[in-house]
Amino acid sequence: MLKIKNIQTFYGNIQALKDVSIEISEGEIITLIGANGAGKSTTLMAVSGIVPPRSGEIFFMGEPITDMEPDKIVSLGICQVPEGRRIFPYLSVTENLDMGAFLRNDKAKIKKDMEYVFDLFPILADRRHQAGGTLSGGERQMLAISRALMARPRLLLLDEPSLGLAPLIVKKIFEIIGKINAENNTTIFLVEQNANLALKVATRGYVMENGRITLTDSSKNLLANEDVKKAYLGF
Amino acid sequence: MDYFLELFLGGLTRGSIYALIALGYTMVYGIIELINFAHGEIYMIGAFTALIVISVLTLMGMNTIAILVIAGVVAVIYSSAYGYTVEKIAYKPLRNAPRLSALISAIGMSLFLQNYVRLAQTPNFLSFPNLIPDFEFIKPYAHIIGSTEIVILITTAVVMVLLTILIKFTNTGKAMRATSQDKTMAMLVGINVNRIISITFVAGSATAAIGGVLIASHIGMINFYIGFMVGIKAFVAAVLGGIGSIPGAVLGGFILGWTESFATGYVSSDYEDVFAFLFLVLILIFRPAGILGRSGKHEI
Ligand SMILES: Nc1ncnc2c1ncn2[C@@H]1O[C@H](COP(=O)(O)OP(=O)(O)OP(=O)(O)O)[C@@H](O)[C@H]1O
Ligand SMILES: [Mg+2]
């Protein structure tokens, strides 16, 4: 479904991605793990068209999207929940969700989907008129995921959804990630530093170091891999 | 009491025009954090366009109200086209450049448009006919308010209500607010940010053109330089209310209008223009974010 082929990405003269290749099939959950500054977020931003690669190619459903405008990429069904959530602070919860559905015109179905995300996260329903900027960290993460779901994505890019959240909320968010994948067959590309958690929900994983993919395998093998254990699993 | 009322309504009229033009500054600032110095010139071009249309249609012997409406519509379309083009030529290429570059480009654009109109039209003052009829119902109150003022107040109110509906309730308006709060995230939800920026320039220019036609009818004279002073005052109004805030621009416009009106009425007309700049200095010292402004990220 998504095919990233040998991309190189630069910020000015600094090379952030070196010859990165990643492939995801439809319906899969895969994860990309790595330390701070490895280039994980840059990879997602390249897919979303925010930081286009200098060379290499990206295909979605066989179509090249390497130099496509970000809004075109969203219209193909690729949505990102970026690092830091980036909730619109002065828009209400409902308006944030409306923005998630910006490219859709089917009013009735949008309303239904809003009910669906309010079912997933009932706390958001209670806060629906509140400004996004007044939400707690956990609520923001829920809203960020809900906002992406409002676009009915075929491929969901999630950047460190567990960051800064209490264990209980992390557990809930990961349950819902599994649920979204199972119920809607949404393909999920999960970036995480919490490798333990990520490898449990994903079927395969990629390990990134200094802008390079250094290892890729099934989650089971990665969880058993000595190097991965030492570097990312904390034992 | 009548004198006070006259000054009050005069200030309201003046203030509503400042507000109309201040809206353009504030919307553009809200979305790309640029002081669009060429905004006053867009309003001046609106007034010139209207004058040309009025002259032609008057020769054809049309009904005056119809002429006024057509002139207004043409001015809106023409100014919008200018606003759109100015953004594409002078600001869009500099979107990722240091902010000072875009500011210099804005000042350049302002000077360019002034001199373009000066050369293409005339450096002289032209008289602008007031086509607003004298309403019968206003006669008894003629000592405190005239027909022109009434039309200005009503038009301004209608424009403001429409603009508020656009920004608060339509999808485009929500996208404008989203874009002003976080451009990257706006792109990530599928908003075409370039299009939203263009729409903002068009909306601001259209509002300015309406202001231009109204003020020209009120004062009765225009030249290529009228955008400068009114532009600066509207800018002060926008800063006073809190640049980036729409209710702030309206409030700032009214406060400035009243101050000028009362100061000329009770003190002396010699100091009229001084107050705008006195205000600007005071705000910058005591409340840099303006009355309704946010000191952090701006909302439009
Ligand atoms: N806008 C930018 N300008 C310049 N350099 C950048 C920019 N964004 C990221 N970088 C650099 O690119 C490299 C990769 O950053 P990236 O954000 O992709 O890492 P990451 O793996 O997501 O890290 P983290 O886990 O901390 O989020 C880092 O060295 C970072 O300093
Ligand atoms: Mg990151």
Side-chain angles (χ1 to χ4, degrees):
Chain A
M1 172 179 233
L2 183 77
K3 189 168 187 173
I4 302 175
K5 242 174 109 181
N6 308 100
I7 58 167
Q8 321 258 2
T9 301
F10 290 76
Y11 291 107
N13 291 326
I14 303 163
Q15 185 164 11
L17 297 183
K18 297 163 193 157
D19 206 26
V20 168
S21 297
I22 292 175
E23 263 189 70
I24 312 178
S25 320
E26 191 151 10
E28 247 189 326
I29 303 186
I30 71 120
T31 184
L32 173 63
I33 57 180
N36 287 114
K40 306 180 297 295
S41 301
T42 307
T43 308
L44 294 191
M45 287 300 182
V47 174
S48 288
I50 304 288
V51 194
R54 193 174 287 180
S55 67
E57 282 171 299
I58 306 175
F59 296 92
F60 181 65
M61 314 291 294
E63 189 182 350
I65 57 165
T66 321
D67 296 310
M68 224 180 236
E69 294 294 322
D71 55 294
K72 289 272 158 35
I73 293 177
V74 176
S75 75
L76 295 178
I78 303 182
C79 290
Q80 185 180 160
V81 179
E83 193 171 7
R85 292 109 195 187
R86 303 187 88 142
I87 296 303
F88 298 115
Y90 303 118
L91 296 190
S92 70
V93 167
T94 320
E95 286 174 331
N96 267 282
L97 294 173
D98 286 340
M99 287 298 99
F102 183 73
L103 291 175
R104 293 174 58 187
N105 293 316
D106 42 348
K107 278 222 166 77
K109 282 196 189 135
I110 292 176
K111 216 168 155 226
K112 255 198 172 149
D113 286 352
M114 205 176 281
E115 292 311 316
Y116 173 75
V117 301
F118 283 153
D119 266 358
L120 283 181
F121 303 109
I123 184 89
L124 292 182
D126 301 339
R127 303 256 184 275
R128 66 177 79 200
H129 300 300
Q130 212 167 304
T134 64
L135 299 181
S136 76
E139 288 162 358
R140 278 180 210 211
Q141 188 63 64
M142 295 177 204
L143 179 55
I145 292 177
S146 303
R147 180 178 58 189
L149 289 181
M150 289 303 291
R152 294 210 161 194
R154 301 163 78 179
L155 171 64
L156 185 59
L157 313 174
L158 294 167
D159 198 343
E160 303 204 33
S162 74
L163 194 72
L165 301 184
L168 215 63
I169 299 182
V170 173
K171 190 165 166 265
K172 160 135 206 205
I173 299 250
F174 273 77
E175 268 170 30
I176 285 178
I177 293 172
K179 190 171 160 182
I180 295 164
N181 174 258
E183 280 181 7
N184 313 324
N185 197 33
T186 310
T187 311
I188 293 178
F189 184 171
L190 172 67
V191 160
E192 261 300 339
Q193 283 198 50
N194 190 335
N196 200 12
L197 209 60
L199 289 171
K200 273 182 188 141
V201 51
T203 47
R204 294 188 298 122
Y206 290 81
V207 178
M208 185 174 247
E209 273 171 43
N210 293 322
R212 246 179 241 288
I213 301 288
T214 52
L215 191 61
T216 172
D217 210 332
S218 70
S219 296
K220 210 173 108 216
N221 290 347
L222 287 175
L223 280 166
N225 184 301
E226 287 304 324
D227 294 339
V228 173
K229 272 189 188 170
K230 238 186 256 145
Y232 304 106
L233 300 174
F235 38 68
Chain B
M1 193 59 205
D2 274 1
Y3 188 52
F4 173 83
L5 216 58
E6 183 190 337
L7 293 179
F8 178 85
L9 291 171
L12 194 66
T13 311
R14 206 186 259 257
S16 60
I17 294 211
Y18 291 151
L20 274 184
I21 299 161
L23 284 170
Y25 281 110
T26 231
M27 288 197 291
V28 164
Y29 185 86
I31 214 141
I32 54 172
E33 298 188 11
L34 167 78
I35 307 295
N36 178 15
F37 275 107
H39 188 58
E41 276 58 52
I42 297 292
Y43 134 94
M44 174 269 290
I45 286 172
F48 264 90
T49 311
L51 180 56
I52 294 168
V53 174
I54 289 172
S55 311
V56 172
L57 294 184
T58 309
L59 280 179
M60 291 166 56
M62 238 173 151
N63 165 300
T64 54
I65 300 218
I67 292 180
L68 195 61
V69 171
I70 294 173
V73 170
V74 176
V76 162
I77 293 170
Y78 221 71
S79 288
S80 301
Y82 268 92
Y84 177 89
T85 312
V86 163
E87 192 270 327
K88 287 275 180 268
I89 293 177
Y91 307 145
K92 187 165 175 242
L94 297 172
R95 199 152 310 142
N96 298 316
R99 269 214 255 166
L100 196 57
S101 312
L103 203 62
I104 292 169
S105 184
I107 294 171
M109 209 60 204
S110 160
L111 291 173
F112 169 77
L113 289 175
Q114 276 175 30
N115 287 292
Y116 157 70
V117 173
R118 188 172 75 131
L119 295 172
Q121 297 295 326
T122 167
N124 302 319
F125 269 100
L126 298 172
S127 80
F128 193 104
N130 188 348
L131 301 181
I132 298 168
D134 282 322
F135 302 123
E136 276 307 319
F137 70 89
I138 210 84
K139 289 260 161 72
Y141 312 101
H143 54 299
I144 50 173
I145 191 164
S147 297
T148 309
E149 280 89 350
I150 291 277
V151 170
I152 289 177
L153 288 176
I154 291 173
T155 314
T156 315
V158 169
V159 170
M160 282 173 189
V161 168
L162 289 179
L163 210 55
T164 308
I165 292 173
L166 166 76
I167 287 166
K168 278 265 168 235
F169 301 112
T170 67
N171 251 350
T172 303
K174 284 179 210 165
M176 285 165 84
R177 286 186 283 148
T179 303
S180 86
Q181 291 165 32
D182 188 338
K183 268 187 211 48
T184 302
M185 192 61 230
M187 292 180 198
L188 287 176
V189 296
I191 294 169
N192 181 339
V193 166
N194 286 329
R195 214 176 117 243
I196 292 295
I197 292 174
S198 290
I199 292 175
T200 307
F201 271 86
V202 165
S205 305
T207 326
I210 294 172
V213 177
L214 293 176
I215 214 172
S217 303
H218 191 46
I219 296 173
M221 270 195 309
I222 59 171
N223 78 346
F224 69 94
Y225 203 55
I226 55 167
F228 181 73
M229 202 38 136
V230 174
I232 293 243
K233 286 187 183 171
F235 170 62
V236 170
V239 174
L240 175 62
I243 188 120
S245 154
I246 285 193
V250 176
L251 184 67
F254 286 146
I255 293 179
L256 191 62
W258 278 321
T259 313
E260 284 190 0
S261 179
F262 287 123
T264 31
Y266 288 122
V267 189
S268 154
S269 60
D270 297 344
Y271 295 108
E272 183 190 312
D273 292 339
V274 175
F275 284 95
F277 297 102
L278 193 65
F279 252 139
L280 185 60
V281 173
L282 291 178
I283 314 156
L284 291 179
I285 294 173
F286 293 108
R287 201 172 152 79
I291 300 171
L292 301 179
R294 293 202 176 87
S295 32
K297 193 74 190 128
H298 295 277
E299 189 194 4
I300 60 165

